[in-house]
Amino acid sequence: MIKILDDKSSYPDIDKAVQDLFKQLSPNKKQITLKKLLSDQNNPLIFAYYQENDNVTGIASMCLYKVISGYKGWIEDVVVDFNCRGKGIGEKLITSLIDTGKKKGVSEIYLFTEDEKKAAIGLYSKLGFKQRNSRLYNLKMI
């Protein structure tokens, strides 16, 4: 079942499971807690997870933001547990985020994935995402 987490709910039991899943995606990145992630200061963020047999088996998040060129969404931190891949969980998560973006009136949704993540690229293409001819840059602040 897909659930949208928001800042009005408390998820202490899920925090550890989400942290463990994220480590599968990015073992060396520092994480923040769900409480901080879903705080009022981070209001535009929508965080979705899939729960099967009371276990969190997949996560995805989307930040919504407004800029001069429109209302946009940016999908991040998509990961499905190694043992649960190939069951459509990732597709359900991304579809839920897309549906939420449509309901909220976003004009575009962006995401980034590495070239070696062939399954993710196949999924995103299947759902209508197109690769852009652009460069992604970042500046590490911490």
Side-chain angles (χ1 to χ4, degrees), residues 3 17 22 27 35 40 54 65 72 74 78 85 88 97 100 105 112 121 124 126 130:
K3 292 188 180 182
F22 186 79
K35 182 177 180 179
D40 288 339
D54 293 330
Y65 61 98
K72 315 280 178 126
W74 187 281
V78 179
R85 293 186 180 164
L97 292 174
T100 300
F112 169 80
I121 292 168
Y124 302 144
K126 174 183 171 185
K130 306 283 185 233

Side-chain angles (χ1 to χ4, degrees), residues 1-98:
M1 162 183 10
I2 299 288
K3 292 188 180 182
I4 304 294
L5 305 181
D6 60 26
D7 61 344
K8 297 168 188 67
S9 305
S10 174
Y11 301 96
D13 348 342
I14 296 172
D15 205 31
K16 171 92 171 81
V18 168
Q19 288 176 6
D20 290 345
L21 269 175
F22 186 79
K23 286 178 186 172
Q24 291 182 26
L25 178 68
S26 299
N28 299 320
K29 284 189 180 174
K30 185 179 176 185
Q31 298 179 39
I32 60 174
T33 65
L34 282 178
K35 182 177 180 179
K36 187 171 184 178
L37 181 66
L38 299 170
S39 69
D40 288 339
Q41 294 80 15
N42 202 26
N43 197 20
L45 184 72
I46 297 172
F47 192 90
Y49 73 93
Y50 182 87
Q51 190 168 351
E52 181 179 272
N53 300 330
D54 293 330
N55 294 318
V56 178
T57 55
I59 57 173
S61 61
M62 182 169 63
C63 182
L64 302 176
Y65 61 98
K66 292 178 183 174
V67 290
I68 293 171
S69 59
Y71 191 29
K72 315 280 178 126
W74 187 281
I75 293 176
E76 291 265 353
D77 305 332
V78 179
V79 61
V80 174
D81 185 88
F82 291 125
N83 300 315
C84 299
R85 293 186 180 164
K87 297 179 179 179
I89 295 169
E91 183 172 349
K92 290 176 185 175
L93 286 166
I94 299 300
T95 300
S96 292
L97 292 174
I98 292 168

